Amino acid sequence: MRLIEDPKLDRFRAECRDWLQDNVPTAKRPPDGLALREYDLAWQRTQYEGGWAGVSWPKEYGGRGLSVLEQLIWHEEYARAGAPPSASMFVALSHAGPTLIVQGSDEQKQRYLPKILKGEENWCQGFSEPGAGSDLASLKTRGVVDGDHLVVTGTKIWTSYAEGANRQELLVRTDPEQPRHRGLTWIVCDMDLPGIDIRPITAMSGVTHFAQVFYDEVRIPLANVVGEINKGWAIAMTTLGFERGTGTIAHQIELANGVERLIEVAGETTDPETGRSLLDDDAVAARLAGLRAEVMALRSLTVASVSRGMREEVPGAEGNIPALYFGELTRRVNGAALEILGPAALARDGEHNWPLHYLESFKWAIGGGTSEIRRNVIGERVLGLPRGPRAI
């Protein structure tokens, strides 16, 4: 599917493709830890030096100042070229950076955005807590104003790539007397401040991307507050809007490539009982065709989100629709690979690590809001349905 026929966009696509073909790293990417961080930062620096960092970010902060449409084309060609996932740079590029562009002060933009694009700093997110995941408004980590600092005490969990991150987008409760969605503050936390303790968590896939972060009277300058004290909920919704809207475009295209790879492998794999390729089985072929159609449907939903993004500065609740669909579809695709290919899919050192992708796919229906929460948001804020019961 092509978004629009335009010679200018075609030339831009060709430029993306040519540069990626010449520059995508060939070295094997480390699975986790500080080695992964250094790999991602180095690749980000390469993109910046080549003029491909922040395609749609403002020029004054190091971006190219192009349209969201051109950003989508870059994501398409990036995934098609098999370039590394953003991973430890994801929060900086898809959360913090876009949030600062629309909500940050001029000083904050000048201070943080160029360093992100140049591959000098990476970020992590401090939103979820042991008792506040999808129900983010129930978070309890405290921030107390003391002079020109905010003193933070509490804990955050499922913080991706916290180990080695330079900064964190941190949401804390600064006024416990106000209702749930009020009294919250969005602040930039330097991860090397005294009082921060990072404890890595190994996921069921075997990689250590998550961590629990503890804060023991961590003093953060009030100059790091984005927006205003006690008005962080709106800033957080901006952040999640980017995450649920265009933030997973590259992952969606990677999923589409995975479906095509699965079809290819099915055609090359012989059924030991019949001696024919798996793709010659009508049931298998129909299932794979269905998955390809679902990927195209997801693509259409994403294009609709991009179209809205060209008219709206801040993503709306509609971004939950492709996010929900992607979270459910990626699990179906990788589950289908294991079922269709059978024992041949279990090799974890092959060209496409199906077991790792399957185990990792579960996080997409949890992180950033579970599928159930996203359905509620779609029903209430997009479709205008009555609100369900709420926790007191």
Side-chain angles (χ1 to χ4, degrees):
M1 181 190 300
R2 299 298 295 274
L3 290 174
I4 188 171
E5 295 297 332
D6 185 324
K8 179 183 175 182
L9 294 179
D10 289 340
R11 288 194 296 272
F12 178 76
R13 184 182 294 276
E15 291 173 9
C16 295
R17 189 169 297 180
D18 290 344
W19 187 86
L20 286 164
Q21 183 176 355
D22 294 336
N23 290 277
V24 168
T26 56
K28 187 174 181 180
R29 189 165 173 270
D32 51 21
L34 296 180
L36 170 63
R37 173 187 183 272
E38 294 307 314
Y39 183 102
D40 290 345
L41 288 174
W43 170 229
Q44 182 63 34
R45 287 193 292 272
T46 298
Q47 293 173 77
Y48 178 81
E49 292 165 359
W52 293 100
V55 170
S56 62
W57 287 28
K59 290 183 179 180
E60 57 265 38
Y61 307 120
R64 294 188 60 168
L66 300 179
S67 69
V68 177
L69 193 57
E70 285 157 310
Q71 181 73 71
L72 174 61
I73 291 173
W74 166 255
H75 283 314
E76 288 181 329
E77 295 304 320
Y78 187 98
R80 184 175 289 113
S86 54
S88 64
M89 288 297 298
F90 178 80
V91 169
L93 295 170
S94 300
H95 282 199
T99 299
L100 291 171
I101 287 172
V102 299
Q103 301 281 14
S105 66
D106 290 340
E107 180 188 5
Q108 290 168 340
K109 294 174 186 178
Q110 292 288 355
R111 181 180 178 186
Y112 299 122
L113 296 179
K115 290 185 177 181
I116 291 174
L117 292 186
K118 292 178 182 179
E120 295 176 359
E121 294 183 349
N122 63 332
W123 290 54
C124 60
Q125 185 184 60
F127 278 22
S128 295
E129 297 180 8
S134 294
D135 184 16
L136 187 60
S138 64
L139 66 85
K140 293 181 173 59
T141 295
R142 289 290 310 278
V144 178
V145 176
D146 181 20
D148 58 358
H149 284 76
L150 197 65
V151 181
V152 175
T153 301
T155 185
K156 298 290 180 177
I157 199 168
W158 311 124
T159 303
S160 299
Y161 307 104
E163 186 180 20
N166 299 100
R167 306 190 192 276
Q168 181 182 58
E169 49 183 27
L170 179 61
L171 192 63
V172 299
R173 186 166 299 283
T174 41
D175 190 345
E177 302 302 320
Q178 293 198 41
R180 285 159 35 91
H181 295 85
R182 302 176 187 175
L184 302 177
T185 298
W186 199 109
I187 190 168
V188 179
C189 175
D190 295 346
M191 294 298 287
D192 59 355
L193 289 174
I196 293 180
D197 180 21
I198 302 171
R199 302 181 188 179
I201 299 172
T202 301
M204 66 179 180
S205 60
V207 297
T208 307
H209 293 165
F210 297 125
Q212 184 167 3
V213 183
F214 295 86
Y215 311 82
D216 183 9
E217 297 188 353
V218 177
R219 299 182 64 85
I220 307 173
L222 289 179
N224 290 14
V225 171
V226 176
E228 300 178 37
I229 292 281
N230 295 333
K231 296 186 178 180
W233 182 255
I235 311 296
M237 290 303 98
T238 298
T239 303
L240 295 179
F242 284 114
E243 178 186 44
R244 295 165 179 170
T246 57
T248 61
I249 287 176
H251 298 292
Q252 294 175 23
I253 299 168
E254 183 182 359
L255 178 64
N257 292 342
V259 170
E260 297 307 311
R261 176 59 181 155
L262 176 56
I263 293 172
E264 180 182 349
V265 173
E268 298 170 349
T269 304
T270 300
D271 186 329
E273 295 184 2
T274 66
R276 303 165 61 194
S277 83
L278 296 176
L279 204 55
D280 289 332
D281 185 310
D282 290 343
V284 171
R287 187 174 184 183
L288 292 173
L291 292 175
R292 177 185 275 173
E294 287 199 79
V295 166
M296 293 177 66
L298 175 62
R299 159 80 169 169
S300 297
L301 290 171
T302 303
V303 169
S305 290
V306 170
S307 178
R308 283 191 297 271
M310 297 173 69
R311 305 188 304 271
E312 303 171 357
E313 186 177 41
V314 179
E318 295 87 353
N320 283 278
I321 299 174
L324 169 64
Y325 197 10
F326 171 73
E328 298 291 319
L329 180 57
T330 186
R331 190 165 55 190
R332 289 200 296 274
V333 167
N334 289 289
L338 299 181
E339 293 174 6
I340 291 172
L341 301 180
L346 297 180
R348 300 197 62 166
D349 57 352
E351 182 179 344
H352 198 92
N353 191 331
W354 295 111
L356 175 64
H357 283 280
Y358 176 69
L359 293 173
E360 285 282 285
S361 69
F362 285 84
K363 70 183 181 183
W364 294 109
I366 300 173
T370 64
S371 294
E372 292 75 16
I373 291 294
R374 285 173 173 156
R375 288 189 177 94
N376 284 342
V377 173
I378 293 168
E380 295 169 8
R381 297 175 57 190
V382 179
L383 302 178
L385 299 177
R387 295 184 65 181
R390 289 295 188 273
I392 299 176

